[in-house]
Amino acid sequence: MKFDDAFLKSLESLLLLARRLQAGPLPGERTTPRAGASLEFREHRSYTPGDDLRYVDWNVFARHGQLHVKQFAAERDLQVLVAADVSASMGFWGKREQALSVAAALGYVALARGDTLSWAAFAERRLAGAEGLRGKSRAVDLLRGLEAAPAGAGPTRVAAAGDGRARGLVVVISDFCDRATREALRGLRPRGGGLVAIHVVAEEEIRPPVAGAVRLVDAETGEEADADIDEAALDRYRAATQARWDALAAFCARESVPFQRVVASTPLREVVAALLRPGGALSRR
Amino acid sequence: MIFDRPHLLWLLAALAPLAAAFLVRRRRPRVAVPDLDAWLAALPRAPRRGWRAFRDAASLLLNLAAAAAIALAAAGPRSAAPPHDDWALVFDTSASMSAADSRWKRALEKADAFARALPPGDRFRILEAGAVPRAIGGWREGGEGLPALPFPAEPSADLAGALELAGAARTVVFTDHDVPEASYLPRVAAPADNLAIEDLSFSRAWASPQIEVEARVVNYSAAARSPEVTFSCVARAAVPAGLILPGGFARVRVTLDAPAGGILEARLAPGDALSVDDAAFAVVSPLRAARAVVLAPRAESPFLRSALAALAPALETGSGVADILAESDALAAGADVFFYDRCTPSRAVPAVLIAAGSGPSVESPAVTAWAA
């Protein structure tokens, strides 16, 4: 997978979209009370009751009649981990590409916001990643790293997305084809931080292009099973898959894990918008 | 194991395409899926791969075994027992084998013991080496006894022809002669010392009650012999043949009274082991008057008739004209003598011929009258 210049430009537009959609803290986001001469102005945000009046930009108020406070780089101290699943099950129908694109987009937004970004590509274990990226200038490193992530390597182990470090926000982008997904998600939730689960699926997983007498082979385990697939079998498969997906969503809801299902064929802009708009998994609360 | 039709073993080559077709037919297209558990939850419980693989393998092996069995059966297998032999027992059935020293009986006993001692799987058949070699019956299994055989009385034994008739079979020859080519030769006897009467003849003079008899005796033995020949035709007479050297012969003559004719017998004494040629026989006609046919181009010559009348009562005369149909016709009428008076016969006459003078040739005699 290659992230070209067009993709980079699209990230910029996504950044603007993100800024427009996100007016509050992200899940797990903390503001630092520290201030100093080296504070770097980052952006304005709407005034909310309780904000320090010293940071109100009176010039903007005079111009627009609306209260806005200045945001400084040092104010943000969000440790963000974006982990993308690159296991073998993700190698079907564009799921891996979508996961890496979403990881790139979210990472770019985090870098642009001044967050400290870590990213990881995982399967049965962590296969690639980087720690402590700050500033948009590190976006290239992010994209090149995601490009180089190995493809289709081994089974899914969701627990491999994390590394045990303290994070403010952990975003796991995966198809969650792991029987231990629930235990893994519980383990990935950072202490005092937030966990977001982005479920990547494909339309072909509901409408699989297979029929007749076939030998099914699990892409991750190599296990085989002969099957005579007819319409009735397809209906049962669809129902079982949908039930599994719904169960995952229900679990995340019970565990207060923001959950978003992303179809692999959905354009990235729509995906990011869905994530960041109110009600999305990454929307401010 | 050996095969009667080994060329049909090529049918085993059909096993390869049979196995290939089986495997191709059983092969399902492989489809990779991201999560097999989602399918297993939806599909009916399929046979475990291990059992299915065993079942498929067992079915393939059974099919291959059946095809192999069919091919092997078509090739006609037989147990590879120790190689068996085919035997030809050749019997010399010439007359010498009938010698009174029981050589023929000994030959049969030896052959019977040989046949019964053959191992299972061996076969034998009987070949008669007479004047014309032939097989007697078909193949018989080793351990069986001999079939019935003809008594040896052939004039000769073609042993070479009998060996050729045996073909590839191993041969056993029962003979009293030397055989130049044989795989096995049990001699049952040596050539017998044999004297044989090879010829017996007689003649009767005109109106004579006696016959002159002559026998030719040959000595086939290895030693000189002095046999005696006994002639009999009602009357009997024993005549010594004198010393006959090995390979030599003697003519023994005697005069016998035989006016009434009868069976003439000549018999050697003493007889020898080969008795079949120790006697000879002939038939002697009774005495009768001779019939004469006189042939003349013209009326008969009274002189010739008078001369012939002087031969009475032994001579009957008749006369005929010149047109002779055939001398054989006259002989059929019982003529013993032809008189050609001043003419000549058209061809040779198988009777006594008396020709007086020369004259035209006469073809067909016709008897006009018989006169005593």
Side-chain angles (χ1 to χ4, degrees), chain A residues 161-181:
Chain A
D163 56 3
R165 296 184 185 182
R167 307 282 184 189
L169 176 65
V170 175
V171 180
V172 179
I173 309 169
S174 172
D175 59 0
F176 299 109
C177 289
D178 179 7
R179 295 174 184 174
T181 292

Side-chain angles (χ1 to χ4, degrees), chain B residues 63 102 349:
Chain B
N63 277 275
S102 73
V349 178

Side-chain angles (χ1 to χ4, degrees), chain B residues 25 29 32 48 53 56 69 76 92 97 123 142 177 256 263 265 358:
Chain B
R25 180 180 63 85
R48 289 179 294 145
D56 291 349
D92 178 352
M97 288 293 289
R123 304 185 301 174
H177 289 88
L256 289 178
I263 303 300
E265 175 183 326
S358 61

Side-chain angles (χ1 to χ4, degrees), chain B residues 13-78:
Chain B
L15 295 181
L18 179 65
F22 187 91
L23 293 174
V24 170
R25 180 180 63 85
R26 301 298 301 176
R27 187 181 298 277
R28 291 167 175 251
R30 295 165 63 89
V31 177
V33 294
D35 186 9
L36 184 61
D37 287 344
W39 286 99
L40 295 179
L43 294 172
R45 185 170 177 274
R48 289 179 294 145
R49 276 199 68 240
W51 161 247
R52 190 182 184 89
F54 170 78
R55 186 187 65 186
D56 291 349
S59 175
L60 174 61
L61 289 176
L62 286 174
N63 277 275
L64 292 177
I70 291 173
L72 290 175
R78 284 191 292 132

